[in-house]
């Protein structure tokens, strides 16, 4: 394993850090409320960062999402890259890749995902019916990737569906998706009789994988890995704020950072953050290398859920009474950390899924 970023990945990460740092400020986040920042989204697209993900891979995306998480920037970057650019690139048909990838890359098409929900039914003519109670960034999306009850993947235009705003713990511009005989476009070519989609996660047989379990598993594992990277950034930002606060806040004439209890709590939070980061890196690297990564993605998701929750609670605790202020910047990290704790499966659910995968002998070595 080699997690050293390529020159292209490092350049993209540094550019993302600069854009997020300049535009995702406390004042702008306060003004945005629970919505997304259209100016920031435009800047990211014009800089070519979305389009670059196709070349820098999942590990490169994780590096970019770390920078987003540090600033809790309110844009659908993770969703559109995972459920749009990477999903279409890996599992879309040649026609879908040609038509959709440029538009996703320049931000005119924004894709989100209704995974891991699989409550959608498919009619005889390909119309879709069902309700997904919560879809993050649905209010920003032009398309949503949904899974039917057979785990086939479909792209639905949001203008053809009913989308109602809902609020989550974190400001993710979420919505309730209702499909009622809604037209959908299958991702990839439909399987022909006697054919079977590739089941190895990270497979490249895009022309048949869209209809089968393999594509669903790959997209879900990719999402879990990417959002684990986002959680690593959220936690790193929380720890950085806690360190800055405890180094400047004095009690009885001494900085809080000189007290052993504070040092131990901060050290635990730092180590938890590093565990989230390295497991996300490993899962992303394996996918980019075309290796099995099912158990690695679940491991990263478990760390993001369990350790992420500990870190953002510690961040608030180390701020003392200021940590209880809902308007304090560290509170955003708490909200994002708690939301990511539950998104795509909380720790106990992910651990159960990981155990079942290992017992069944399907986990990678």
């Amino acid at each position: 394993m080699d997690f050293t970023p390529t020159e292209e990945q490092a350049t993209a990460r540094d550019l993302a850090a600069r854009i997020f740092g300049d535009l995702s400020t406390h004042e702008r986040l306060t003004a945005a409320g629970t919505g997304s920042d259209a100016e920031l989204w435009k800047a990211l697209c014009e800089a070519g960062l979305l389009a670059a993900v196709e070349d820098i891979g999942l590990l490169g995306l994780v590096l970019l999402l770390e920078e987003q998480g540090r600033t809790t920037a309110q844009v659908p970057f993770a969703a559109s890259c995972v459920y749009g650019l990477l999903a279409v690139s890996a599992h879309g048909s040649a026609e879908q890749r040609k038509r959709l990838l440029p538009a996703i890359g320049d931000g005119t098409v924004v894709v989100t995902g209704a995974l891991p929900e699989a409550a959608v039914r498919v009619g005889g003519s390909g119309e879709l019916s069902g309700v997904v109670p919560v879809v993050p960034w649905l209010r920003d999306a032009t398309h949503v990737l949904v899974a039917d009850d057979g785990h086939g993947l479909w792209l639905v235009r949001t203008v053809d569906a009913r989308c109602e705003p809902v609020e989550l713990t974190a400001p993710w511009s979420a919505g309730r998706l209702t499909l009622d005989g809604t037209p959908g476009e299958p991702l990839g070519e439909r399987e022909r009789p006697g054919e079977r989609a590739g089941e190895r996660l990270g497979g490249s047989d895009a022309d048949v994988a869209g209809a089968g379990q393999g594509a669903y598993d790959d997209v879900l594992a990719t999402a879990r890995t990417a959002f684990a990277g986002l959680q690593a950034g959220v936690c790193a930002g929380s720890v950085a704020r806690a360190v800055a606060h405890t180094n400047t806040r004095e009690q009885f004439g001494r900085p809080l950072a000189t007290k052993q209890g504070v040092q131990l709590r901060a050290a635990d939070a730092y180590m938890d953050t590093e565990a989230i980061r390295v497991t996300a890196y490993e899962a992303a690297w394996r996918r980019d290398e075309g290796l099995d990564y099912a158990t690695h993605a679940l491991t990263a998701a478990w760390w993001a859920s369990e350790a992420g929750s500990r870190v953002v609670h510690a961040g608030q605790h180390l701020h003392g009474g200021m940590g209880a202020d809902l308007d304090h910047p560290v509170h955003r990290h708490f909200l994002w950390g708690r939301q990511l704790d539950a998104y795509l499966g909380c720790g106990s659910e992910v651990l159960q899924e990981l155990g079942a995968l290992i017992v069944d002998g399907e986990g990678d070595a």
Side-chain angles (χ1 to χ4, degrees):
M1 293 177 289
D2 183 5
F3 302 150
T4 304
T6 64
E7 182 178 354
E8 189 176 20
Q9 289 171 337
T11 300
R13 178 196 60 197
D14 294 343
L15 178 58
R18 185 163 67 251
I19 294 174
F20 284 127
D22 289 344
L23 295 181
S24 188
T25 62
H26 175 61
E27 293 74 21
R28 289 178 61 87
L29 288 169
T30 300
T34 62
S36 294
D37 188 331
E39 183 180 342
L40 174 57
W41 180 247
K42 181 180 179 181
L44 293 168
C45 296
E46 290 181 345
L49 286 174
L50 271 79
V53 171
E54 191 175 359
D55 297 321
I56 62 178
L58 183 55
L59 180 55
L61 175 59
V62 166
L63 294 173
L64 301 186
L65 292 178
E66 278 192 81
E67 301 306 325
Q68 179 184 1
R70 290 180 200 276
T71 59
T72 60
Q74 292 170 199
V75 286
F77 193 84
S80 204
C81 287
V82 169
Y83 301 120
L85 195 142
L86 291 180
V88 173
S89 178
H91 304 291
S93 65
E95 187 278 330
Q96 287 171 332
R97 293 194 294 269
K98 181 178 180 180
R99 169 168 49 90
L100 293 172
L101 290 179
I104 297 171
D106 65 23
T108 55
V109 168
V110 179
V111 185
T112 189
L115 275 65
E117 298 284 349
V120 176
R121 301 177 303 279
V122 184
S125 301
E127 68 278 5
L128 305 174
S129 299
V131 177
V132 184
V134 176
V135 181
W137 291 287
L138 183 63
R139 283 177 270 167
D140 299 329
T142 60
H143 295 69
V144 57
L145 186 69
V146 303
D148 61 36
D149 49 11
H151 283 173
L153 297 177
W154 300 76
L155 282 168
V156 175
R157 298 193 311 164
T158 53
V159 295
D160 296 328
R162 186 162 77 249
C163 304
E164 304 164 277
V166 298
E167 296 299 339
L168 301 180
T169 299
W172 285 3
S173 295
R176 174 186 175 93
L177 178 70
T178 301
L179 306 175
D180 186 9
T182 305
E185 176 185 358
L187 182 65
E189 303 289 348
R190 298 290 87 183
E191 289 180 284
R192 294 181 290 274
E195 287 185 329
R196 185 164 173 260
E199 293 185 3
R200 183 181 62 80
L201 294 186
S204 59
D205 191 3
D207 287 338
V208 298
Q213 181 76 35
Y216 172 87
D217 288 345
D218 178 48
V219 172
L220 180 56
T222 299
R224 282 171 165 159
T225 302
F227 282 97
L230 184 61
Q231 181 76 299
V234 169
C235 291
S238 178
V239 171
R241 290 187 182 279
V243 169
H245 173 76
T246 56
N247 273 312
T248 56
R249 182 77 169 180
E250 291 189 357
Q251 189 178 69
F252 305 118
R254 297 172 57 196
L256 289 173
T258 62
K259 300 183 181 301
Q260 188 178 48
V262 171
Q263 294 172 359
L264 293 174
R265 192 78 191 275
D268 286 343
Y270 173 80
M271 292 305 297
D272 271 339
T273 301
E274 288 302 297
I276 299 169
R277 176 182 288 117
V278 74
T279 52
Y281 282 6
E282 181 177 15
W285 176 83
R286 290 184 66 89
R287 183 187 189 276
D288 289 344
E289 293 296 312
L291 303 172
D292 293 332
Y293 73 110
T295 57
H296 299 79
L298 287 167
T299 301
W302 182 85
W303 274 103
S305 176
E306 294 289 305
S309 179
R310 290 196 297 266
V311 172
V312 296
H313 276 86
Q316 278 206 305
H317 187 199
L318 290 173
H319 277 76
M322 296 177 65
D325 183 356
L326 300 184
D327 295 323
H328 195 283
V330 77
H331 188 67
R332 292 194 189 91
H333 293 270
F334 176 77
L335 296 178
W336 278 67
R338 293 299 299 168
Q339 188 70 59
L340 286 163
D341 169 24
Y343 186 52
L344 299 178
C346 68
S348 58
E349 294 171 334
V350 169
L351 193 61
Q352 183 179 14
E353 188 176 342
L354 176 60
L357 195 63
I358 294 173
V359 169
D360 291 343
E362 297 178 5
D364 32 88

